[in-house]
Amino acid sequence: MASHSVVLGVGGGIAAYKAAELARALMEHGVEVNTVMTGAAQEFVRPLTFAALTGRKVITEMFGTGSSDEVLASSVEHIRVAQENQLLVVAPATADLLARFAHGLANDFLTTLYLAFQGPVVLAPAMNTAMWNHPATQANIETLRRRGHHVIEPDEGLLACGTTGPGRLPEPQRIGYFVWRILAQRHDLDGETILITAGPTREPLDPVRFISNRSSGKMGYSLAEAAALRGARVILVSGPVQIPAPDGVELMQVQTASEMRAAVMSRLAESDIIIKTAAVADYHVANIPRQKVKKTAMRLSLELDPTPDILAEVGAELSRSGSGQLLIGFAAETENVVAEAKRKLQAKHCDMVVANNVSADGTGFESDENEVVLALRTGEIIPLPRASKRALADQILDEALKLRLALHQGR
Ligand code: CTP
């Protein structure tokens, strides 16, 4: 059974046929679609199209057409449909529908349902440019926005009426993805265990000194918070950082790369997704002096040995076992970002590498913002424009889930 169900309200505009593609796009995200068509929408597309696509009854009438029993049942159907669905998306939202929603008219099934509906509402307007720009429509849009509804701005382009300007219904896939993201918040990671490493490691030089790096842990902590909010059980293996662990997350504090390795390995089997944001020190002093090193020599050289590459070890193990667990690595680069991401993806058997240019201004280690490129095992490269680390966290999780679906379907 689909975990999400939405009402797709279809208005009477030339773009009504695109609502059929939207139904499909939603279903590809695993969403159950219950279609409600206005009378005008049925002039453009037949209900049968939606019934066949969604495999569900399409609601076209306020009071049904048959017996008095049916009339009685249908008279409360708008309440039932409003209660049983998590989101209402209206596409195309015509000027007439926007006006009726804005003013609370309830003269057909869709507008009555709208008033009874308490979940998130997504409106995708589509109409002639002059109608869109009309002060009446703009005032209605303003009212609906203020009410907290999500309005997806129409695209600009050549319209069916022959004019060019804003008014086109955006790509159904885009609307579908938007809807899915709203639905996805908090619920799409239910039942999943996610292991996240974060922060720097500290490699002691002697009892009082250590080598470390500038990692703040913000990216990993943002991912932990996002994943927890979306329902996951999160195990956060963290080096020393200055920020508090998010609520609802299991924190395992470590210092060195080898402690981090031990923590990760001990929790690997129970984890569905492993995300390694930690900036693990690459080298350490193998034999740490037991006493503080004194300032006696004129010049001091450090002899360093490599630390265990945890990501590479996990990657090798998962690819051997074919367990289907998803492995995401990070790559902090100062040049050749995409090429390095691809190289690390291959070398460490990852499903995704999130690469960022740590030398760019205002992004990277200590910043609240980041700008990253995702290199996927499918060969896809997805740039994620500059945004807060918290916002990027959700986008990375979104892409990870899409990737997992694609990888499982490709099996
Ligand atoms: N990593 C790890 N163990 C290490 C070093 C790195 O698990 N000893 C992981 C990091 O958590 C990150 C990824 O490997 O997910 C890439 O880290 P990065 O330092 O960018 O890559 P390196 O492999 O160390 O390559 P280089 O320093 O040469 O760029």
PDB file of all heavy atoms in Angstrom, residues 315 318-319 322-328 341-342 345-346 348-353 374-382 399 403-404 406-408 410-411:
ATOM      1  N   GLY A 315      33.008   0.488   2.018  1.00  0.00           N
ATOM      2  CA  GLY A 315      32.639   0.290   0.609  1.00  0.00           C
ATOM      3  C   GLY A 315      33.008  -1.093   0.117  1.00  0.00           C
ATOM      4  O   GLY A 315      32.213  -1.774  -0.540  1.00  0.00           O
ATOM      5  N   LEU A 318      30.640  -3.670   1.779  1.00  0.00           N
ATOM      6  CA  LEU A 318      29.264  -3.673   1.274  1.00  0.00           C
ATOM      7  C   LEU A 318      29.209  -4.195  -0.160  1.00  0.00           C
ATOM      8  O   LEU A 318      28.265  -4.884  -0.546  1.00  0.00           O
ATOM      9  CB  LEU A 318      28.653  -2.266   1.335  1.00  0.00           C
ATOM     10  CG  LEU A 318      28.465  -1.661   2.730  1.00  0.00           C
ATOM     11  CD1 LEU A 318      27.676  -0.369   2.649  1.00  0.00           C
ATOM     12  CD2 LEU A 318      27.787  -2.633   3.682  1.00  0.00           C
ATOM     13  N   SER A 319      30.209  -3.863  -0.961  1.00  0.00           N
ATOM     14  CA  SER A 319      30.146  -4.336  -2.341  1.00  0.00           C
ATOM     15  C   SER A 319      30.382  -5.851  -2.406  1.00  0.00           C
ATOM     16  O   SER A 319      29.848  -6.534  -3.260  1.00  0.00           O
ATOM     17  CB  SER A 319      31.098  -3.565  -3.256  1.00  0.00           C
ATOM     18  OG  SER A 319      32.407  -3.966  -3.021  1.00  0.00           O
ATOM     19  N   GLY A 322      26.926  -7.349  -1.103  1.00  0.00           N
ATOM     20  CA  GLY A 322      25.755  -7.075  -1.934  1.00  0.00           C
ATOM     21  C   GLY A 322      24.498  -6.885  -1.104  1.00  0.00           C
ATOM     22  O   GLY A 322      23.407  -7.298  -1.480  1.00  0.00           O
ATOM     23  N   SER A 323      24.656  -6.229   0.052  1.00  0.00           N
ATOM     24  CA  SER A 323      23.554  -6.118   1.016  1.00  0.00           C
ATOM     25  C   SER A 323      22.474  -5.125   0.608  1.00  0.00           C
ATOM     26  O   SER A 323      21.398  -5.112   1.189  1.00  0.00           O
ATOM     27  CB  SER A 323      24.123  -5.680   2.366  1.00  0.00           C
ATOM     28  OG  SER A 323      24.708  -4.396   2.202  1.00  0.00           O
ATOM     29  N   GLY A 324      22.782  -4.255  -0.335  1.00  0.00           N
ATOM     30  CA  GLY A 324      21.798  -3.246  -0.737  1.00  0.00           C
ATOM     31  C   GLY A 324      21.794  -2.022   0.166  1.00  0.00           C
ATOM     32  O   GLY A 324      20.993  -1.117  -0.024  1.00  0.00           O
ATOM     33  N   GLN A 325      22.698  -1.978   1.153  1.00  0.00           N
ATOM     34  CA  GLN A 325      22.803  -0.772   1.985  1.00  0.00           C
ATOM     35  C   GLN A 325      23.402   0.336   1.129  1.00  0.00           C
ATOM     36  O   GLN A 325      24.261   0.074   0.279  1.00  0.00           O
ATOM     37  CB  GLN A 325      23.721  -1.044   3.190  1.00  0.00           C
ATOM     38  CG  GLN A 325      23.121  -1.999   4.216  1.00  0.00           C
ATOM     39  CD  GLN A 325      24.200  -2.668   5.043  1.00  0.00           C
ATOM     40  OE1 GLN A 325      24.887  -3.584   4.554  1.00  0.00           O
ATOM     41  NE2 GLN A 325      24.376  -2.239   6.276  1.00  0.00           N
ATOM     42  N   LEU A 326      22.946   1.563   1.359  1.00  0.00           N
ATOM     43  CA  LEU A 326      23.388   2.676   0.525  1.00  0.00           C
ATOM     44  C   LEU A 326      24.555   3.387   1.197  1.00  0.00           C
ATOM     45  O   LEU A 326      24.469   3.736   2.372  1.00  0.00           O
ATOM     46  CB  LEU A 326      22.219   3.657   0.337  1.00  0.00           C
ATOM     47  CG  LEU A 326      22.341   4.621  -0.834  1.00  0.00           C
ATOM     48  CD1 LEU A 326      22.080   3.889  -2.143  1.00  0.00           C
ATOM     49  CD2 LEU A 326      21.359   5.779  -0.676  1.00  0.00           C
ATOM     50  N   LEU A 327      25.626   3.603   0.452  1.00  0.00           N
ATOM     51  CA  LEU A 327      26.828   4.221   1.029  1.00  0.00           C
ATOM     52  C   LEU A 327      27.109   5.568   0.359  1.00  0.00           C
ATOM     53  O   LEU A 327      27.278   5.653  -0.853  1.00  0.00           O
ATOM     54  CB  LEU A 327      28.036   3.279   0.860  1.00  0.00           C
ATOM     55  CG  LEU A 327      29.355   3.805   1.425  1.00  0.00           C
ATOM     56  CD1 LEU A 327      29.268   4.039   2.931  1.00  0.00           C
ATOM     57  CD2 LEU A 327      30.493   2.835   1.104  1.00  0.00           C
ATOM     58  N   ILE A 328      27.174   6.589   1.196  1.00  0.00           N
ATOM     59  CA  ILE A 328      27.409   7.947   0.686  1.00  0.00           C
ATOM     60  C   ILE A 328      28.669   8.512   1.324  1.00  0.00           C
ATOM     61  O   ILE A 328      28.782   8.586   2.548  1.00  0.00           O
ATOM     62  CB  ILE A 328      26.210   8.861   1.009  1.00  0.00           C
ATOM     63  CG1 ILE A 328      24.943   8.256   0.397  1.00  0.00           C
ATOM     64  CG2 ILE A 328      26.454  10.281   0.502  1.00  0.00           C
ATOM     65  CD1 ILE A 328      23.681   9.002   0.748  1.00  0.00           C
ATOM     66  N   ALA A 341      35.481  13.655  -7.262  1.00  0.00           N
ATOM     67  CA  ALA A 341      34.298  12.968  -6.726  1.00  0.00           C
ATOM     68  C   ALA A 341      34.108  11.639  -7.435  1.00  0.00           C
ATOM     69  O   ALA A 341      33.853  10.607  -6.808  1.00  0.00           O
ATOM     70  CB  ALA A 341      33.068  13.854  -6.891  1.00  0.00           C
ATOM     71  N   LYS A 342      34.251  11.667  -8.758  1.00  0.00           N
ATOM     72  CA  LYS A 342      34.073  10.438  -9.544  1.00  0.00           C
ATOM     73  C   LYS A 342      35.146   9.414  -9.187  1.00  0.00           C
ATOM     74  O   LYS A 342      34.874   8.218  -9.080  1.00  0.00           O
ATOM     75  CB  LYS A 342      34.166  10.751 -11.044  1.00  0.00           C
ATOM     76  CG  LYS A 342      32.931  11.420 -11.601  1.00  0.00           C
ATOM     77  CD  LYS A 342      33.153  11.615 -13.085  1.00  0.00           C
ATOM     78  CE  LYS A 342      31.909  12.051 -13.810  1.00  0.00           C
ATOM     79  NZ  LYS A 342      32.209  12.420 -15.195  1.00  0.00           N
ATOM     80  N   LEU A 345      34.307   7.951  -5.842  1.00  0.00           N
ATOM     81  CA  LEU A 345      33.119   7.094  -5.972  1.00  0.00           C
ATOM     82  C   LEU A 345      33.528   5.678  -6.380  1.00  0.00           C
ATOM     83  O   LEU A 345      33.105   4.686  -5.794  1.00  0.00           O
ATOM     84  CB  LEU A 345      32.185   7.699  -7.029  1.00  0.00           C
ATOM     85  CG  LEU A 345      30.846   7.021  -7.271  1.00  0.00           C
ATOM     86  CD1 LEU A 345      29.811   7.561  -6.283  1.00  0.00           C
ATOM     87  CD2 LEU A 345      30.347   7.287  -8.680  1.00  0.00           C
ATOM     88  N   GLN A 346      34.407   5.618  -7.394  1.00  0.00           N
ATOM     89  CA  GLN A 346      34.897   4.318  -7.894  1.00  0.00           C
ATOM     90  C   GLN A 346      35.796   3.643  -6.870  1.00  0.00           C
ATOM     91  O   GLN A 346      35.603   2.493  -6.505  1.00  0.00           O
ATOM     92  CB  GLN A 346      35.738   4.528  -9.169  1.00  0.00           C
ATOM     93  CG  GLN A 346      34.978   5.061 -10.358  1.00  0.00           C
ATOM     94  CD  GLN A 346      34.200   3.966 -11.052  1.00  0.00           C
ATOM     95  OE1 GLN A 346      34.570   2.809 -10.945  1.00  0.00           O
ATOM     96  NE2 GLN A 346      33.119   4.336 -11.734  1.00  0.00           N
ATOM     97  N   LYS A 348      36.259   3.998  -3.723  1.00  0.00           N
ATOM     98  CA  LYS A 348      35.763   3.590  -2.402  1.00  0.00           C
ATOM     99  C   LYS A 348      34.421   2.858  -2.484  1.00  0.00           C
ATOM    100  O   LYS A 348      33.744   2.688  -1.467  1.00  0.00           O
ATOM    101  CB  LYS A 348      35.656   4.820  -1.491  1.00  0.00           C
ATOM    102  CG  LYS A 348      37.007   5.567  -1.330  1.00  0.00           C
ATOM    103  CD  LYS A 348      36.988   6.528  -0.160  1.00  0.00           C
ATOM    104  CE  LYS A 348      38.256   7.387  -0.136  1.00  0.00           C
ATOM    105  NZ  LYS A 348      38.396   8.139   1.115  1.00  0.00           N
ATOM    106  N   HIS A 349      34.028   2.452  -3.688  1.00  0.00           N
ATOM    107  CA  HIS A 349      32.781   1.684  -3.898  1.00  0.00           C
ATOM    108  C   HIS A 349      31.565   2.358  -3.282  1.00  0.00           C
ATOM    109  O   HIS A 349      30.773   1.709  -2.585  1.00  0.00           O
ATOM    110  CB  HIS A 349      32.905   0.267  -3.319  1.00  0.00           C
ATOM    111  CG  HIS A 349      34.024  -0.526  -3.918  1.00  0.00           C
ATOM    112  ND1 HIS A 349      33.931  -1.102  -5.162  1.00  0.00           N
ATOM    113  CD2 HIS A 349      35.253  -0.824  -3.450  1.00  0.00           C
ATOM    114  CE1 HIS A 349      35.058  -1.727  -5.435  1.00  0.00           C
ATOM    115  NE2 HIS A 349      35.881  -1.576  -4.415  1.00  0.00           N
ATOM    116  N   CYS A 350      31.432   3.656  -3.513  1.00  0.00           N
ATOM    117  CA  CYS A 350      30.282   4.375  -2.953  1.00  0.00           C
ATOM    118  C   CYS A 350      29.118   4.353  -3.940  1.00  0.00           C
ATOM    119  O   CYS A 350      29.282   4.110  -5.130  1.00  0.00           O
ATOM    120  CB  CYS A 350      30.631   5.835  -2.681  1.00  0.00           C
ATOM    121  SG  CYS A 350      31.879   6.039  -1.428  1.00  0.00           S
ATOM    122  N   ASP A 351      27.920   4.640  -3.429  1.00  0.00           N
ATOM    123  CA  ASP A 351      26.761   4.837  -4.297  1.00  0.00           C
ATOM    124  C   ASP A 351      26.636   6.309  -4.674  1.00  0.00           C
ATOM    125  O   ASP A 351      26.093   6.647  -5.719  1.00  0.00           O
ATOM    126  CB  ASP A 351      25.484   4.381  -3.580  1.00  0.00           C
ATOM    127  CG  ASP A 351      25.562   2.901  -3.257  1.00  0.00           C
ATOM    128  OD1 ASP A 351      25.727   2.110  -4.201  1.00  0.00           O
ATOM    129  OD2 ASP A 351      25.505   2.536  -2.065  1.00  0.00           O
ATOM    130  N   MET A 352      27.129   7.162  -3.792  1.00  0.00           N
ATOM    131  CA  MET A 352      27.093   8.607  -4.055  1.00  0.00           C
ATOM    132  C   MET A 352      28.272   9.259  -3.356  1.00  0.00           C
ATOM    133  O   MET A 352      28.633   8.842  -2.258  1.00  0.00           O
ATOM    134  CB  MET A 352      25.782   9.202  -3.505  1.00  0.00           C
ATOM    135  CG  MET A 352      25.623  10.688  -3.719  1.00  0.00           C
ATOM    136  SD  MET A 352      24.323  11.436  -2.677  1.00  0.00           S
ATOM    137  CE  MET A 352      22.844  10.831  -3.414  1.00  0.00           C
ATOM    138  N   VAL A 353      28.864  10.239  -4.030  1.00  0.00           N
ATOM    139  CA  VAL A 353      29.857  11.068  -3.351  1.00  0.00           C
ATOM    140  C   VAL A 353      29.382  12.517  -3.419  1.00  0.00           C
ATOM    141  O   VAL A 353      29.015  13.008  -4.478  1.00  0.00           O
ATOM    142  CB  VAL A 353      31.271  10.916  -3.957  1.00  0.00           C
ATOM    143  CG1 VAL A 353      32.188  12.048  -3.484  1.00  0.00           C
ATOM    144  CG2 VAL A 353      31.887   9.580  -3.552  1.00  0.00           C
ATOM    145  N   LEU A 374      26.777  16.246  -6.552  1.00  0.00           N
ATOM    146  CA  LEU A 374      26.617  14.837  -6.226  1.00  0.00           C
ATOM    147  C   LEU A 374      27.061  14.004  -7.419  1.00  0.00           C
ATOM    148  O   LEU A 374      26.609  14.233  -8.540  1.00  0.00           O
ATOM    149  CB  LEU A 374      25.148  14.504  -5.919  1.00  0.00           C
ATOM    150  CG  LEU A 374      24.400  15.421  -4.960  1.00  0.00           C
ATOM    151  CD1 LEU A 374      22.982  14.887  -4.711  1.00  0.00           C
ATOM    152  CD2 LEU A 374      25.140  15.547  -3.639  1.00  0.00           C
ATOM    153  N   ALA A 375      27.950  13.066  -7.176  1.00  0.00           N
ATOM    154  CA  ALA A 375      28.330  12.108  -8.219  1.00  0.00           C
ATOM    155  C   ALA A 375      27.679  10.784  -7.840  1.00  0.00           C
ATOM    156  O   ALA A 375      27.899  10.273  -6.742  1.00  0.00           O
ATOM    157  CB  ALA A 375      29.843  11.972  -8.285  1.00  0.00           C
ATOM    158  N   LEU A 376      26.841  10.261  -8.738  1.00  0.00           N
ATOM    159  CA  LEU A 376      26.091   9.044  -8.419  1.00  0.00           C
ATOM    160  C   LEU A 376      26.661   7.826  -9.141  1.00  0.00           C
ATOM    161  O   LEU A 376      27.277   7.945 -10.203  1.00  0.00           O
ATOM    162  CB  LEU A 376      24.623   9.182  -8.832  1.00  0.00           C
ATOM    163  CG  LEU A 376      23.860  10.422  -8.358  1.00  0.00           C
ATOM    164  CD1 LEU A 376      22.380  10.272  -8.675  1.00  0.00           C
ATOM    165  CD2 LEU A 376      24.051  10.650  -6.875  1.00  0.00           C
ATOM    166  N   ARG A 377      26.401   6.684  -8.565  1.00  0.00           N
ATOM    167  CA  ARG A 377      26.878   5.427  -9.157  1.00  0.00           C
ATOM    168  C   ARG A 377      26.260   5.197 -10.542  1.00  0.00           C
ATOM    169  O   ARG A 377      26.825   4.500 -11.373  1.00  0.00           O
ATOM    170  CB  ARG A 377      26.536   4.253  -8.232  1.00  0.00           C
ATOM    171  CG  ARG A 377      27.038   2.920  -8.736  1.00  0.00           C
ATOM    172  CD  ARG A 377      27.546   2.091  -7.594  1.00  0.00           C
ATOM    173  NE  ARG A 377      26.462   1.532  -6.800  1.00  0.00           N
ATOM    174  CZ  ARG A 377      25.854   0.377  -7.063  1.00  0.00           C
ATOM    175  NH1 ARG A 377      26.222  -0.342  -8.103  1.00  0.00           N
ATOM    176  NH2 ARG A 377      24.889  -0.066  -6.295  1.00  0.00           N
ATOM    177  N   THR A 378      25.102   5.808 -10.789  1.00  0.00           N
ATOM    178  CA  THR A 378      24.455   5.671 -12.096  1.00  0.00           C
ATOM    179  C   THR A 378      25.164   6.499 -13.163  1.00  0.00           C
ATOM    180  O   THR A 378      24.789   6.469 -14.320  1.00  0.00           O
ATOM    181  CB  THR A 378      23.009   6.179 -11.994  1.00  0.00           C
ATOM    182  OG1 THR A 378      23.044   7.498 -11.437  1.00  0.00           O
ATOM    183  CG2 THR A 378      22.153   5.286 -11.119  1.00  0.00           C
ATOM    184  N   GLY A 379      26.176   7.279 -12.776  1.00  0.00           N
ATOM    185  CA  GLY A 379      26.885   8.120 -13.729  1.00  0.00           C
ATOM    186  C   GLY A 379      26.360   9.553 -13.718  1.00  0.00           C
ATOM    187  O   GLY A 379      26.966  10.457 -14.301  1.00  0.00           O
ATOM    188  N   GLU A 380      25.227   9.749 -13.067  1.00  0.00           N
ATOM    189  CA  GLU A 380      24.630  11.079 -13.026  1.00  0.00           C
ATOM    190  C   GLU A 380      25.466  12.018 -12.149  1.00  0.00           C
ATOM    191  O   GLU A 380      26.012  11.606 -11.132  1.00  0.00           O
ATOM    192  CB  GLU A 380      23.228  10.957 -12.417  1.00  0.00           C
ATOM    193  CG  GLU A 380      22.164  11.734 -13.150  1.00  0.00           C
ATOM    194  CD  GLU A 380      20.820  11.576 -12.439  1.00  0.00           C
ATOM    195  OE1 GLU A 380      20.499  10.456 -11.984  1.00  0.00           O
ATOM    196  OE2 GLU A 380      20.123  12.572 -12.338  1.00  0.00           O
ATOM    197  N   ILE A 381      25.508  13.289 -12.579  1.00  0.00           N
ATOM    198  CA  ILE A 381      26.164  14.336 -11.785  1.00  0.00           C
ATOM    199  C   ILE A 381      25.088  15.371 -11.473  1.00  0.00           C
ATOM    200  O   ILE A 381      24.459  15.901 -12.386  1.00  0.00           O
ATOM    201  CB  ILE A 381      27.300  15.017 -12.607  1.00  0.00           C
ATOM    202  CG1 ILE A 381      28.391  14.001 -12.959  1.00  0.00           C
ATOM    203  CG2 ILE A 381      27.876  16.214 -11.870  1.00  0.00           C
ATOM    204  CD1 ILE A 381      29.219  13.517 -11.786  1.00  0.00           C
ATOM    205  N   ILE A 382      24.853  15.620 -10.202  1.00  0.00           N
ATOM    206  CA  ILE A 382      23.789  16.562  -9.827  1.00  0.00           C
ATOM    207  C   ILE A 382      24.373  17.715  -9.021  1.00  0.00           C
ATOM    208  O   ILE A 382      24.778  17.527  -7.873  1.00  0.00           O
ATOM    209  CB  ILE A 382      22.690  15.862  -8.983  1.00  0.00           C
ATOM    210  CG1 ILE A 382      22.131  14.653  -9.743  1.00  0.00           C
ATOM    211  CG2 ILE A 382      21.571  16.835  -8.616  1.00  0.00           C
ATOM    212  CD1 ILE A 382      21.128  13.839  -8.956  1.00  0.00           C
ATOM    213  N   GLU A 399      17.832  12.908  -2.847  1.00  0.00           N
ATOM    214  CA  GLU A 399      18.561  12.276  -3.964  1.00  0.00           C
ATOM    215  C   GLU A 399      19.004  10.860  -3.590  1.00  0.00           C
ATOM    216  O   GLU A 399      19.027   9.970  -4.433  1.00  0.00           O
ATOM    217  CB  GLU A 399      19.765  13.125  -4.381  1.00  0.00           C
ATOM    218  CG  GLU A 399      19.411  14.493  -4.945  1.00  0.00           C
ATOM    219  CD  GLU A 399      18.537  14.443  -6.196  1.00  0.00           C
ATOM    220  OE1 GLU A 399      18.496  13.386  -6.873  1.00  0.00           O
ATOM    221  OE2 GLU A 399      17.869  15.468  -6.480  1.00  0.00           O
ATOM    222  N   LEU A 403      17.999   7.635  -5.652  1.00  0.00           N
ATOM    223  CA  LEU A 403      19.065   6.770  -6.160  1.00  0.00           C
ATOM    224  C   LEU A 403      18.838   5.332  -5.717  1.00  0.00           C
ATOM    225  O   LEU A 403      18.973   4.395  -6.511  1.00  0.00           O
ATOM    226  CB  LEU A 403      20.418   7.278  -5.646  1.00  0.00           C
ATOM    227  CG  LEU A 403      21.617   6.387  -5.936  1.00  0.00           C
ATOM    228  CD1 LEU A 403      21.866   6.286  -7.438  1.00  0.00           C
ATOM    229  CD2 LEU A 403      22.878   6.917  -5.240  1.00  0.00           C
ATOM    230  N   ARG A 404      18.475   5.150  -4.458  1.00  0.00           N
ATOM    231  CA  ARG A 404      18.262   3.784  -3.956  1.00  0.00           C
ATOM    232  C   ARG A 404      17.146   3.093  -4.742  1.00  0.00           C
ATOM    233  O   ARG A 404      17.273   1.929  -5.119  1.00  0.00           O
ATOM    234  CB  ARG A 404      17.939   3.811  -2.466  1.00  0.00           C
ATOM    235  CG  ARG A 404      17.828   2.402  -1.896  1.00  0.00           C
ATOM    236  CD  ARG A 404      17.758   2.386  -0.414  1.00  0.00           C
ATOM    237  NE  ARG A 404      16.541   3.023   0.059  1.00  0.00           N
ATOM    238  CZ  ARG A 404      16.205   3.104   1.344  1.00  0.00           C
ATOM    239  NH1 ARG A 404      17.007   2.606   2.268  1.00  0.00           N
ATOM    240  NH2 ARG A 404      15.097   3.692   1.709  1.00  0.00           N
ATOM    241  N   ALA A 406      16.239   3.777  -7.788  1.00  0.00           N
ATOM    242  CA  ALA A 406      16.751   3.498  -9.140  1.00  0.00           C
ATOM    243  C   ALA A 406      17.669   2.272  -9.128  1.00  0.00           C
ATOM    244  O   ALA A 406      17.592   1.411 -10.001  1.00  0.00           O
ATOM    245  CB  ALA A 406      17.502   4.712  -9.675  1.00  0.00           C
ATOM    246  N   LEU A 407      18.520   2.191  -8.107  1.00  0.00           N
ATOM    247  CA  LEU A 407      19.454   1.061  -8.032  1.00  0.00           C
ATOM    248  C   LEU A 407      18.693  -0.251  -7.791  1.00  0.00           C
ATOM    249  O   LEU A 407      18.997  -1.265  -8.401  1.00  0.00           O
ATOM    250  CB  LEU A 407      20.493   1.280  -6.929  1.00  0.00           C
ATOM    251  CG  LEU A 407      21.493   2.411  -7.151  1.00  0.00           C
ATOM    252  CD1 LEU A 407      22.390   2.585  -5.926  1.00  0.00           C
ATOM    253  CD2 LEU A 407      22.342   2.176  -8.400  1.00  0.00           C
ATOM    254  N   HIS A 408      17.683  -0.204  -6.953  1.00  0.00           N
ATOM    255  CA  HIS A 408      16.910  -1.430  -6.663  1.00  0.00           C
ATOM    256  C   HIS A 408      16.089  -1.850  -7.869  1.00  0.00           C
ATOM    257  O   HIS A 408      15.962  -3.034  -8.147  1.00  0.00           O
ATOM    258  CB  HIS A 408      16.012  -1.222  -5.440  1.00  0.00           C
ATOM    259  CG  HIS A 408      16.801  -1.230  -4.155  1.00  0.00           C
ATOM    260  ND1 HIS A 408      16.224  -1.259  -2.920  1.00  0.00           N
ATOM    261  CD2 HIS A 408      18.130  -1.239  -3.932  1.00  0.00           C
ATOM    262  CE1 HIS A 408      17.170  -1.274  -1.986  1.00  0.00           C
ATOM    263  NE2 HIS A 408      18.338  -1.255  -2.594  1.00  0.00           N
ATOM    264  N   GLY A 410      16.934  -1.320 -10.899  1.00  0.00           N
ATOM    265  CA  GLY A 410      17.865  -1.771 -11.918  1.00  0.00           C
ATOM    266  C   GLY A 410      18.455  -3.142 -11.636  1.00  0.00           C
ATOM    267  O   GLY A 410      19.203  -3.691 -12.438  1.00  0.00           O
ATOM    268  N   ARG A 411      18.143  -3.709 -10.501  1.00  0.00           N
ATOM    269  CA  ARG A 411      18.754  -4.982 -10.112  1.00  0.00           C
ATOM    270  C   ARG A 411      18.220  -6.154 -10.915  1.00  0.00           C
ATOM    271  O   ARG A 411      17.068  -6.196 -11.231  1.00  0.00           O
ATOM    272  CB  ARG A 411      18.458  -5.266  -8.649  1.00  0.00           C
ATOM    273  CG  ARG A 411      19.460  -4.552  -7.792  1.00  0.00           C
ATOM    274  CD  ARG A 411      19.104  -4.674  -6.347  1.00  0.00           C
ATOM    275  NE  ARG A 411      20.298  -4.288  -5.610  1.00  0.00           N
ATOM    276  CZ  ARG A 411      20.733  -4.894  -4.514  1.00  0.00           C
ATOM    277  NH1 ARG A 411      20.091  -5.918  -4.017  1.00  0.00           N
ATOM    278  NH2 ARG A 411      21.824  -4.497  -3.914  1.00  0.00           N
TER     279      ARG A 411
END
